[in-house]
Amino acid sequence: MQPPDVSNDFLLKPYFLARVPLNHIDLRSRLISNVQVLKFTSIVGRKESSKLSELERFTLNSESGLPLYLQIAHELIFRIETGALHVGDKLPGIRTLAEELGVSFLTVNKAYAWLRDRRVVASTRGVGVRVILTLEATGEEARQRARLSAFAEKVVTQAVQKGMDPMLVAQSINHRALAHQRQAAPVKIIFVECLPEYVDDYTAELRIALADLHLEIEGVLTTSLKDIVSALPPAPKNAGTDKLMTTTLYHYDFVQRLVSPRHQKVFALSHTLDSEAIQNIVSVPHNKKLGVLFGSVDPAPGIIKMIQFYRDSPAESIPYAVVTDQAAVRKVIEKSDVLIYTASCRDWIAKTDARRQTSILIRFVPDQEAINKIRMLVKRDKGKWGKSITPDGPSFSR
């Protein structure tokens, strides 16, 4: 699908990427950057440590509504655009930057992966992460950026002159912008899956990731879909986006057949593993053996590849079994120090001796590509979204 242009995304070059549109959060973050900063200290003064060590300010705001890894990526993009970072400049190592910012190394790794996927930076073993792209803004983009910067500076200056706290001013702008956005009727997102656990996990993550949009997100089981579809009125042709029917690739054909008589489009979304499971998997010592148990509807090959990616393990090095195959399950349990299992196996685990074994539950949640796809679809008719964004890490489709 060819995405529309991104003329309003003034902080990023539309040619190669688009970020999550921040709107009011942008202005708020620029206001905050004048009064709340984090400074690099331990890496300052090392000649080859990184170009970033020479910069004065780096701001993260946990209350902005934007994931921390995207804040890091956007800050680096902003510095590239403004000329503070150039092609060839070296960025701090993952663990170094994580320590400086007080975040998990997985967060920084996710930010670098996001930039690497968009060919903004490149990683070389033994060399580190370097900038490989220079952003030269168009005249209109530069003028937009200059107008916003001037406006933000004017607001901060007036706030200080009047004895106001710029942070409170930024929060007021944020609240008013959100109130303005929510005056419109919410767009309804319907997500269809076959198991209650998958529906609950996926929709819960969508609500968190898309909290800045005015959405109503509903999870529906495949067994209930027919009754729900029968109650839907036929969608008029060329209608605006007020209801999005979504599912995984695994169920796409089934859902499409049910809703097509109602002229309702279906959009396929991809999955990844939840961040807690990933962190637990990465943290398992390499001398411990892993084994994985799946339910009959789980996409086992794709999940195994993902676990091998995060463990940096060779192909076919992690044994797995489907719980309906008791003999295979026993072999996996016997060979494993740590047992990884999906939500569809939870009841089975509770009824067997496997519950006594060290275990990691993995949940299926939307990856960044799925989240960005919904953002694009919701905002497409309003002209607020641009180029589609590729996944920031491995994902799989069901």
Side-chain angles (χ1 to χ4, degrees), residues 330-350:
R330 282 194 295 271
K331 290 181 180 179
V332 168
I333 293 176
E334 291 170 358
K335 294 180 179 179
S336 305
D337 299 311
V338 178
L339 193 62
I340 301 172
Y341 66 97
T342 64
S344 62
C345 303
R346 194 177 311 182
D347 291 342
W348 186 91
I349 291 287

Side-chain angles (χ1 to χ4, degrees), residues 63-357:
E63 298 180 357
S64 71
L66 188 70
L68 292 178
Y69 82 92
L70 281 180
Q71 291 188 43
I72 295 170
H74 294 169
E75 186 69 29
L76 294 173
I77 287 288
F78 181 78
R79 294 179 183 209
I80 293 171
E81 276 201 322
T82 55
L85 289 173
H86 303 89
V87 171
D89 285 342
K90 184 178 180 181
L91 301 183
I94 291 174
R95 294 187 182 278
T96 300
L97 184 54
E99 182 178 349
E100 289 294 328
L101 297 178
V103 298
S104 165
F105 77 93
L106 290 174
T107 300
V108 178
N109 184 55
K110 198 171 183 179
Y112 281 2
W114 193 91
L115 293 169
R116 190 166 53 247
D117 287 344
R118 289 148 189 83
R119 298 181 294 280
V120 179
V121 302
S123 301
T124 305
R125 188 177 295 276
V127 176
V129 180
R130 292 187 181 274
V131 177
I132 61 172
L133 180 70
T134 297
L135 301 179
E136 297 179 357
T138 65
E140 179 57 30
E141 288 170 341
R143 286 189 290 271
Q144 279 187 301
R145 187 165 62 243
R147 285 195 294 268
L148 178 69
S149 296
F151 178 72
E153 184 61 34
K154 182 179 179 180
V155 172
V156 170
T157 300
Q158 290 183 354
V160 173
Q161 290 174 347
K162 294 178 182 295
M164 299 179 182
D165 184 347
M167 286 286 289
L168 295 179
V169 173
Q171 290 173 358
S172 179
I173 291 173
N174 187 45
H175 292 158
R176 287 181 177 273
L178 285 171
H180 177 76
Q181 182 186 52
R182 286 169 180 161
Q183 287 178 357
V187 174
K188 188 169 185 177
I189 309 294
I190 300 175
F191 177 73
V192 183
E193 248 293 342
C194 60
L195 293 178
E197 298 88 350
Y198 296 165
V199 169
D200 292 344
D201 290 340
Y202 202 95
T203 55
E205 291 294 327
L206 283 180
R207 292 185 185 99
I208 294 171
L210 300 170
D212 60 304
L213 299 180
H214 192 27
L215 304 177
E216 178 185 343
I217 299 175
E218 178 184 357
V220 173
L221 292 173
T222 51
T223 52
S224 306
L225 184 60
K226 187 174 181 179
D227 292 337
I228 292 174
V229 170
S230 63
L232 289 176
K237 294 182 178 179
N238 303 320
T241 304
D242 61 353
K243 187 185 284 84
L244 294 176
M245 184 74 68
T246 65
T247 186
T248 57
L249 283 174
Y250 188 84
H251 296 293
Y252 179 82
D253 289 340
F254 167 77
V255 176
Q256 182 64 61
R257 285 196 300 271
L258 279 181
V259 304
S260 58
R262 300 285 175 176
H263 308 296
Q264 179 79 46
K265 291 183 179 179
V266 180
F267 300 94
L269 302 178
S270 48
H271 286 64
T272 190
L273 305 185
D274 67 287
S275 58
E276 181 180 356
I278 292 173
Q279 189 148 4
N280 288 336
I281 290 169
V282 171
S283 301
V284 174
H286 279 279
N287 63 341
K288 298 293 185 180
K289 297 179 181 179
L290 301 181
V292 188
L293 296 183
F294 295 109
S296 58
V297 299
D298 294 328
I303 301 174
I304 286 294
K305 287 181 180 179
M306 185 177 296
I307 294 173
Q308 289 171 170
F309 169 85
Y310 284 112
R311 292 290 294 174
D312 196 20
S313 302
E316 301 181 0
S317 60
I318 300 177
Y320 68 91
V322 178
V323 291
T324 53
D325 187 343
Q326 295 299 311
V329 167
R330 282 194 295 271
K331 290 181 180 179
V332 168
I333 293 176
E334 291 170 358
K335 294 180 179 179
S336 305
D337 299 311
V338 178
L339 193 62
I340 301 172
Y341 66 97
T342 64
S344 62
C345 303
R346 194 177 311 182
D347 291 342
W348 186 91
I349 291 287
K351 296 175 182 177
T352 66
D353 290 338
R355 67 182 184 276
R356 299 191 182 96
Q357 195 165 359

Side-chain angles (χ1 to χ4, degrees), residues 42-50 53 96:
S42 63
I43 58 177
V44 172
R46 282 188 277 173
K47 184 176 180 181
E48 188 57 27
S49 62
S50 73
S53 64
T96 300

